[in-house]
Amino acid sequence: MAAPELEKDLLAALQIYHQVYGLPTAPEQLQGVAATLLRLALANQPPIPGLQEPTQVINQVLQLWNAGAIVPTILHQGQQLLATQAHQWQANLSQQVTDILSAYIQHYAPGLDRHGIQETILTALPLITQNGITSQEVNGLVGKVLDSFDWQTALASQINPGVIDVVKHLVTACSQKPLENAVSQTVTAYIQKFAPGIEKIGENLIEQTLSAVLKQPVDFDLNLDLNLVNHQLLIQQVSFKLNIMKQSPPPSKTALAMAAQLQGEITKLQQEHQHSLAPEPITQGVVSADGLTISSPWTSPGGPG
């Protein structure tokens, strides 16, 4: 499939989606639908020569749609399937998020306001989505859930037992927000100073940063039980915010100082490997292909639990 053919297929699938399910009018929700169509269209396909960045493709397709462009040819089964899969994915994820919100509000946050709901959705999504979801899809989903969310229904609805474990992880993730913010700030400071231009932040770098912050929690004015920190949940949250949502908080002076210390730790690890008898090159097991993913003796295995 060539790049122009992909745009044509996406426009046709958008047309089918509109005819069968209806399209949202809010721009961010419409972008979310287009982003899901694009992600599904590219799944399990070899790279398309000449394909632009996904955001550019989405914008071009939506410009055509908003200008009233209609695919003149007969719509084929693949385009219809694409529209169906996109709608099912959007509907299922929206329902799952709504169920999680209802259970969370009933048991833990009966006074949650609209801003709190939005933040809770952003915290819940990394717990239930696989890698590959895009920021456009997230923004569209947040808008869709917020527009349809009803407090009375949420408080009165029967809890879906399938989301109980997720809600428990959500409570833990929310309780770690101050620590998450400290780690995010420090990772941001590190990248700005020592690795500008990096496209993807490795999880091991986040864990290295987490370990460094936990050694000096007083510097960040953190009041928490270090023995109860769920490393994997926090790493998952930071990775989602920095890599998917591109939310890089302005680093504090403490984060900037910690980033310098972190660089020192990384340099020390590299030097130790250089003088070791290990047969593998220094960049293997210490720094990954992204130049940032650092293996660490502080790595803590295990997932949410």
Side-chain angles (χ1 to χ4, degrees), residues 221-274:
D221 194 25
L222 295 172
N223 183 17
L224 44 81
D225 187 340
L226 303 185
N227 295 323
L228 297 180
V229 173
N230 189 311
H231 286 220
Q232 193 55 44
L233 265 181
L234 191 138
I235 291 167
Q236 185 183 52
Q237 292 291 321
V238 173
S239 179
F240 178 80
K241 302 293 175 26
L242 296 182
N243 285 319
I244 304 298
M245 301 309 297
K246 305 299 181 183
Q247 296 178 349
S248 300
S252 63
K253 291 183 179 180
T254 303
L256 291 168
M258 183 64 70
Q261 294 181 31
L262 182 62
Q263 173 64 6
E265 292 283 357
I266 292 172
T267 301
K268 181 180 177 181
L269 285 172
Q270 291 174 325
Q271 290 173 345
E272 289 176 354
H273 264 71
Q274 285 178 329

Side-chain angles (χ1 to χ4, degrees), residues 69-142:
I70 299 296
V71 179
T73 57
I74 298 176
L75 303 177
H76 59 69
Q77 187 175 4
Q79 296 163 342
Q80 295 173 342
L81 179 61
L82 188 61
T84 300
Q85 290 176 334
H87 178 262
Q88 289 176 343
W89 184 88
Q90 293 257 339
N92 290 340
L93 190 56
S94 296
Q95 185 61 57
Q96 193 173 1
V97 170
T98 301
D99 289 345
I100 291 169
L101 273 177
S102 297
Y104 180 71
I105 287 172
Q106 286 188 29
H107 289 280
Y108 301 100
L112 202 63
D113 59 12
R114 183 178 176 87
H115 176 73
I117 292 177
Q118 180 173 340
E119 289 301 312
T120 303
I121 295 172
L122 290 174
T123 303
L125 279 173
L127 306 177
I128 59 176
T129 57
Q130 302 295 323
N131 291 334
I133 190 172
T134 64
S135 60
Q136 291 97 335
E137 289 176 290
V138 171
N139 289 330
L141 180 73
V142 169

